[in-house]
Amino acid sequence: MDDLRDKYIGLIADAADEAAIEDLRVQAVGKKGEIALKMRELGKMTPEERQVMGPKLNALKDEINSALSAKKTSLADAALEERLRTEWLDVTLPGRGRRQGSIHPISQVTEEVSAIFADMGFAVAEGPQIETDWYNFDALNIPGHHPARAEMDTFYTHRAEGDNRPPHVLRTHTSPVQIRSMEKQGAPIRIICPGRVYRADYDQTHTPMFHQVEGLAIDKDISMANLKWVLEEFFTAFFGTEVKTRFRASHFPFTEPSAEVDIQCKWENGSVKVGEGDDWLEVLGSGMVHPKVLKAGGIDPDVYQGFAFGIGIDRLAMLKYGIPDLRAFFDADLRWLRHYGFASLDQPTLHGGLTR
Ligand code: PHE
């Protein structure tokens, strides 16, 4: 019995993990373990012997059981100690900074423009960037031989050999969305259409892709006066200061009469300030929608009339945020984006003030 005791107490002390403890438990005090075998021998003993051996065996069984559970606890404690030691973490260390992306000034300005016009009851409409020449030109009263087609520096798509249909174009302005909106919703209409447009041109103030926002208001009693009010209201909200406008007679095939609109500005050490001084800066084309254009869009020009305008979004962004070179907008230079971009939670809004 003493041998049995010494053997198991020794083995338990040396056990390396919980699995070894479990093996020892089965071997020693399990149903078919060594103690159980000894218990069976009790039957062959004399009552006197049994009276001595019985309690001894039970005591041994208890002793081994408690040695097993003590060892189990100490193994678990050691494992915990080890985890605490190796998984130690200095919670006072500063976190690792992660760079956040920024809102591109074009996206920002598009949002601002949409918010201001939404406030005046204009919905946002969109159209495809690859257009048929009918929507981009013919429906806007620019027939095939018209010089405006050449002036627009149009990108044409390719047609297969022998396919004589006119090629699609990358839209040269957002004006085709006027026609699409007229077809889709009929009159009255009050929409703006922001989006990308394309012309083959590249220098400090021109990129082959740029952004416009078209405006279109059609109803039974719309006049040039409404156009002027809407534009002045827009510029004042956008620049956060009263901005005078100057309408100059101009020509577009899709409006009659047509006007180019300048905003009041002042040049100071090579940069421009809007809403001050007595210089003028051209920012948009506009006019009363030509009757032929209304007809092309399925609207009766004897009942309805309206105004339309097209503003360069990139130009607006340059003016408002003092960005000197248009090309940098599309260089995807992270330093530029960090400098001119907007934090996603720090965006100018109509209610919070549109200027920063
Ligand atoms: N589509 C013209 C352009 O791109 C701008 C414009 C729009 C002019 C609507 C008049 C009316 O230059």
Side-chain angles (χ1 to χ4, degrees):
M1 200 109 96
D2 282 344
D3 289 348
L4 206 55
R5 179 185 172 281
D6 292 347
K7 172 180 157 193
Y8 280 109
I9 295 300
L11 284 173
I12 291 168
D14 292 343
D17 52 30
E18 266 197 49
I21 296 279
E22 178 59 16
D23 285 347
L24 287 171
R25 191 191 63 76
V26 173
Q27 263 181 58
V29 295
K31 270 194 191 129
K32 292 176 184 163
E34 285 201 70
I35 306 264
L37 292 178
K38 287 262 179 277
M39 294 276 195
R40 248 171 258 167
E41 286 171 17
L42 288 178
K44 295 176 210 149
M45 293 179 185
T46 62
E48 291 75 22
E49 282 174 324
R50 201 180 303 143
Q51 226 156 39
V52 180
M53 293 303 283
K56 271 198 173 178
L57 267 177
N58 271 326
L60 179 58
K61 189 177 170 185
D62 288 347
E63 188 182 351
I64 290 179
N65 267 328
S66 49
L68 283 167
S69 76
K71 180 68 180 180
K72 213 166 159 175
T73 312
S74 87
L75 278 176
D77 285 352
L80 182 63
E81 274 311 311
E82 178 64 10
R83 272 190 65 191
L84 287 173
R85 199 179 59 75
T86 54
E87 294 175 15
W88 180 85
L89 183 68
D90 184 353
V91 293
T92 66
L93 283 177
R96 284 187 204 105
R98 264 209 224 172
R99 279 228 111 110
Q100 297 227 314
S102 61
I103 308 285
H104 195 285
I106 299 291
S107 307
Q108 175 66 28
V109 166
T110 304
E111 287 296 318
E112 292 176 21
V113 170
S114 305
I116 296 168
F117 279 106
D119 207 40
M120 292 191 273
F122 287 76
V124 172
E126 285 183 312
Q129 294 173 42
I130 302 173
E131 267 297 7
T132 64
D133 70 335
W134 191 80
Y135 280 109
N136 194 80
F137 295 123
D138 301 77
L140 290 162
N141 194 31
I142 315 174
H145 53 80
H146 198 284
R149 286 212 186 197
E151 280 161 25
M152 294 257 199
D153 300 307
T154 313
F155 287 110
Y156 291 93
T157 61
H158 204 71
R159 284 276 185 220
E161 192 102 24
D163 187 340
N164 293 322
R165 290 174 301 164
H168 284 92
V169 301
L170 297 188
R171 66 178 181 195
T172 56
H173 50 182
T174 43
S175 300
V177 189
Q178 286 190 33
I179 307 295
R180 290 183 175 273
S181 302
M182 290 182 210
E183 285 178 342
K184 204 154 131 196
Q185 71 173 86
I189 294 183
R190 223 189 285 178
I191 50 156
I192 57 162
C193 334
R196 296 180 167 183
V197 300
Y198 301 84
R199 291 180 201 176
D201 208 351
Y202 189 69
D203 60 35
Q204 192 177 342
T205 51
H206 297 89
T207 49
M209 185 279 298
F210 58 105
H211 300 79
Q212 287 188 335
V213 57
E214 193 81 6
L216 177 67
I218 295 176
D219 213 325
K220 288 183 174 158
D221 51 5
I222 299 241
S223 75
M224 208 78 178
N226 300 126
L227 169 66
K228 187 166 166 73
W229 182 86
V230 163
L231 289 177
E232 286 186 346
E233 202 62 16
F234 165 71
F235 286 121
T236 299
F238 182 76
F239 288 106
T241 176
E242 197 151 328
V243 180
K244 291 206 186 85
T245 60
R246 183 172 77 172
F247 280 55
R248 271 182 296 106
S250 182
H251 176 79
F252 298 103
F254 32 91
T255 46
E256 183 60 36
S258 302
E260 279 175 315
V261 178
D262 305 334
I263 54 175
Q264 174 198 10
C265 73
K266 165 169 110 179
W267 290 93
E268 220 174 50
N269 321 316
S271 65
V272 63
K273 272 213 169 115
V274 174
E276 295 173 34
D278 40 33
D279 263 337
W280 298 98
L281 200 72
E282 185 198 322
V283 285
L284 66 88
S286 66
M288 297 302 290
V289 181
H290 197 290
K292 283 189 179 169
V293 173
L294 291 171
K295 242 185 242 164
I299 289 177
D300 184 353
D302 292 329
V303 182
Y304 289 100
Q305 72 289 141
F307 65 71
F309 58 82
I311 315 180
I313 292 183
D314 320 75
R315 169 67 71 84
L316 286 183
M318 290 168 80
L319 285 174
K320 179 163 176 179
Y321 297 112
I323 302 170
D325 191 328
L326 176 67
R327 291 170 296 193
F329 275 105
F330 313 116
D331 282 347
D333 181 331
L334 278 179
R335 290 162 307 173
W336 186 92
L337 289 167
R338 275 169 202 144
H339 182 78
Y340 288 109
F342 292 78
S344 53
L345 294 177
D346 182 26
Q347 285 201 65
T349 55
L350 257 195
H351 47 276
L354 282 172
T355 41
R356 70 167 180 189

